Amino acid sequence: MSQEKLYDEVLTKQKRIAEIAMNHHGESLKSLAHHIDLKWLYVAYQNTRKDSAVGIDNVSAQDYESNLKHNLEELLNRLKSGRYKAPAVRRVYIPKGNGKEKRPLGLPTFEDKILQRAVLMVLEPVFEKEFFDFSHGFRPGHSAHLALDEFWLKNYKLGGGWLIDLDIRKYFDTIDHEQLRKMICSRVCDGVITRIIGKWLKAGVFDNGNVTLGKSGTPQGGVISPLLSNVYLHEVLDKWFVETVKPRLKGDSFMVRYADDCLMMFKERDDAVKAMNVLYKRFAKYGLELHPEKTKLIDFRKPTSGKSGENKETFDFLGFTHYWKKSRKGSLIVGKKTAKDRFTRSLKMVNDWCRRHRHWKILTQWKHLRRVILGHCAYYGVTGNNRRLGEFCFQVPRIWYKWLKRRSRLRDLNWNKFNRLLAAHPLPGPRIIHSVHIAKL
């Protein structure tokens, strides 16, 4: 069977699962694991990244592929018989944006990633029917820019208001396993599926030669982790906001969420204060904690005097600082610019790369920096962010010039020579990729 037909067959099964989930809304589905067969695992293998670091078994994607059919057959047998043992996740640490702290990162084994992908392909069609449209994180057909656009458009219609900027402390590490299992079983009660999820939750972390068993949190670095985290917050926050909070409000409101980054906007201050007072208890009920300093109630009402500087309160969401400003036509709108910490972090990464690779061939360095600028604009290139984009595109060649001069053979490099180099190999300028217009309304 060709690969195209194989994908079509799996897609047909997923559509069938979605139909069953829709027809049995509110019921627990007990027969889903039979969809996972050798073809299903092969598609899962094809959709698994092959270039990531190895797990604790030191088996790379190339090693696994050398005997792929046999390995997938063995994996399928162990899953269906219950003999599969979820390996611990290898922990590594990467620097945070400030350069002072380090962020823990989990590296599952390649085989475990395949199986997690296969289970994800079963669960996704079920829970996608449950999730609300304002939830955008790690979902097919959704993105960070869709979340940004949704906030912009809904805030435009509402005319501003009182904003709750939620910050959950160590969310992915504090998800309660027992409550998560109950949430999953409310829709999926297939023994094979629930058993393997339980094994992943208990697998633990391999760090400095020791395995620490996890009592809370989702599998670090796991393919299945984003879906599990969405299921948890859907129950803790999304359903609660729609079914309990909104019916009791005096004024209009809306919510936008991307993974654990969430904004709740209220037209009336009293509604926002009441919701804020209940939020801490709501999250504590599910073993979660809101950061007391980073969770804020923000006055984000539209300035009434027509002066954009009247309301100077801003907030950061998905890498952008949001603030009121005047449009070219003189009306007040919400502007977006690259958040200061993200801007600084991006330039620091460019500086560190140029320092480490200054002895590489100049053409190779140019190709890399060109990709960096294009990638930066691909995310931060939004309407109204021209100034920050221009500053980034201005600083990158200056950083490059600084480190090229440190090469022994280029100590006589000056700006005239460097500008001739840029003329022959120009770096991209600022580009607006994501444009927002009132016509969208």
Side-chain angles (χ1 to χ4, degrees):
M1 182 181 293
S2 67
Q3 188 164 306
E4 184 177 352
K5 290 184 178 180
L6 195 61
Y7 274 78
D8 288 341
E9 184 175 319
V10 171
L11 182 60
T12 300
K13 287 184 178 181
Q14 288 183 303
K15 289 180 179 178
R16 177 57 182 157
I17 294 173
E19 290 175 2
I20 295 172
M22 184 181 295
N23 295 333
H24 295 81
H25 181 71
E27 300 178 25
S28 184
L29 307 180
K30 299 180 180 179
S31 181
L32 290 174
H34 67 276
H35 292 288
I36 302 178
D37 54 17
L38 197 59
K39 295 177 183 178
W40 191 279
L41 283 180
Y42 180 78
V43 173
Y45 159 79
Q46 290 293 337
N47 291 332
T48 302
R49 284 187 57 179
K50 312 295 191 300
D51 58 348
S52 53
V54 298
I56 62 172
D57 61 354
N58 290 319
V59 176
S60 66
Q62 293 72 26
D63 297 333
Y64 198 84
E65 189 178 5
S66 62
N67 196 7
L68 182 61
K69 187 173 183 297
H70 173 76
N71 288 334
L72 292 181
E73 288 175 347
E74 280 293 309
L75 178 60
L76 182 63
N77 290 334
R78 281 180 283 144
L79 169 68
K80 295 296 180 71
S81 65
R83 293 183 293 109
Y84 183 80
K85 294 182 180 180
V89 175
R90 183 165 69 90
R91 174 173 285 174
V92 295
Y93 296 89
I94 57 175
K96 284 189 175 181
N98 55 23
K100 299 177 181 179
E101 302 178 31
K102 290 188 176 182
R103 185 190 308 276
L105 181 67
L107 298 175
T109 65
F110 183 72
E111 183 176 66
D112 206 45
K113 290 179 184 178
I114 295 174
L115 189 54
Q116 288 191 32
R117 176 71 63 183
V119 173
L120 174 68
M121 289 160 54
V122 172
L123 294 180
E124 206 167 56
V126 177
F127 286 102
E128 277 296 313
K129 301 301 177 183
E130 303 292 316
F131 297 153
F132 296 105
D133 290 338
F134 58 73
S135 170
H136 295 277
F138 310 115
R139 294 180 58 193
H142 293 258
S143 68
H145 284 99
L146 281 178
L148 291 165
D149 288 348
E150 181 174 352
F151 174 82
W152 192 92
L153 292 169
K154 287 185 175 180
N155 180 74
Y156 180 86
K157 293 179 180 179
L158 193 65
W162 297 86
L163 181 76
I164 297 179
D165 184 3
L166 286 177
D167 187 278
I168 308 173
R169 179 176 281 173
K170 296 182 179 179
Y171 170 60
F172 293 94
D173 295 330
T174 55
I175 293 176
D176 184 86
H177 288 174
E178 183 177 351
Q179 300 204 59
L180 176 59
R181 289 194 193 96
K182 290 180 181 178
M183 295 174 190
I184 294 171
C185 287
S186 68
R187 289 298 282 133
V188 176
C189 206
D190 184 295
V192 174
I193 300 295
T194 55
R195 182 170 59 238
I196 190 61
I197 290 176
K199 290 181 178 181
W200 282 324
L201 294 176
K202 295 179 180 179
V205 176
F206 181 82
D207 188 10
N208 292 326
N210 298 315
V211 176
T212 304
L213 298 181
K215 297 182 180 179
S216 61
T218 56
Q220 294 193 30
V223 177
I224 198 73
S225 182
L227 176 66
L228 299 181
S229 64
N230 267 336
V231 169
Y232 205 75
L233 269 188
H234 172 76
E235 186 69 33
V236 175
L237 184 60
D238 301 357
K239 281 181 65 177
W240 174 73
F241 179 78
V242 172
E243 298 175 1
T244 304
V245 175
K246 290 197 73 173
R248 291 172 168 80
L249 300 180
K250 297 178 182 178
D252 293 334
S253 68
F254 68 87
M255 186 174 92
V256 177
R257 182 171 69 82
Y258 187 89
D260 60 331
D261 291 324
C262 178
L263 300 175
M264 303 171 72
M265 177 69 84
F266 302 86
K267 190 65 178 177
E268 303 295 331
R269 185 181 186 277
D270 288 346
D271 290 338
V273 171
K274 289 179 182 178
M276 186 78 165
N277 292 336
V278 179
L279 273 172
Y280 288 90
K281 295 179 182 178
R282 176 68 181 179
F283 277 76
K285 178 181 177 181
Y286 291 89
L288 302 176
E289 181 183 0
L290 293 177
H291 198 293
E293 297 176 1
K294 295 181 180 179
T295 299
K296 297 174 290 185
L297 178 60
I298 300 170
D299 181 0
F300 203 67
R301 292 173 295 173
K302 181 186 291 187
T304 54
S305 66
K307 296 180 181 179
S308 59
E310 178 187 298
N311 187 350
K312 295 184 179 180
E313 286 210 61
T314 65
F315 66 92
D316 291 347
F317 181 56
L318 299 181
F320 291 91
T321 297
H322 294 68
Y323 62 101
W324 285 103
K325 71 170 188 176
K326 275 191 175 183
S327 69
R328 291 181 179 179
K329 294 183 179 181
S331 59
L332 286 169
I333 60 172
V334 174
K336 297 192 291 287
K337 61 183 178 181
T338 310
K340 186 177 180 180
D341 60 335
R342 296 292 187 93
F343 183 80
T344 303
R345 182 174 68 183
S346 297
L347 287 180
K348 184 180 183 302
M349 291 174 64
V350 172
N351 184 77
D352 292 345
W353 190 91
C354 289
R355 174 180 56 82
R356 294 194 309 270
H357 301 89
R358 63 185 182 272
H359 296 295
W360 281 19
K361 292 181 180 179
I362 291 179
L363 186 59
T364 303
Q365 294 185 49
W366 169 78
K367 289 180 179 178
H368 174 80
L369 294 176
R370 184 176 183 276
R371 289 194 297 269
V372 167
I373 294 177
L374 290 176
H376 187 86
C377 291
Y379 186 79
Y380 294 104
V382 301
T383 302
N385 196 28
N386 307 65
R387 185 174 179 180
R388 285 280 169 90
L389 287 177
E391 179 67 15
F392 183 81
C393 294
F394 174 75
Q395 291 294 340
V396 169
R398 292 175 65 86
I399 294 171
W400 190 25
Y401 171 75
K402 178 185 74 173
W403 288 107
L404 283 180
K405 279 184 66 67
R406 305 273 179 112
R407 291 173 60 160
S408 57
R409 294 184 179 181
L410 291 176
R411 294 193 185 279
D412 61 340
L413 182 68
N414 55 40
W415 275 106
N416 289 330
K417 293 180 180 179
F418 185 68
N419 285 331
R420 288 198 294 270
L421 169 65
L422 291 180
H425 301 287
L427 290 171
R431 296 177 60 191
I432 300 300
I433 307 296
H434 307 278
S435 185
V436 178
H437 300 287
I438 296 179
K440 287 184 178 180
L441 297 172

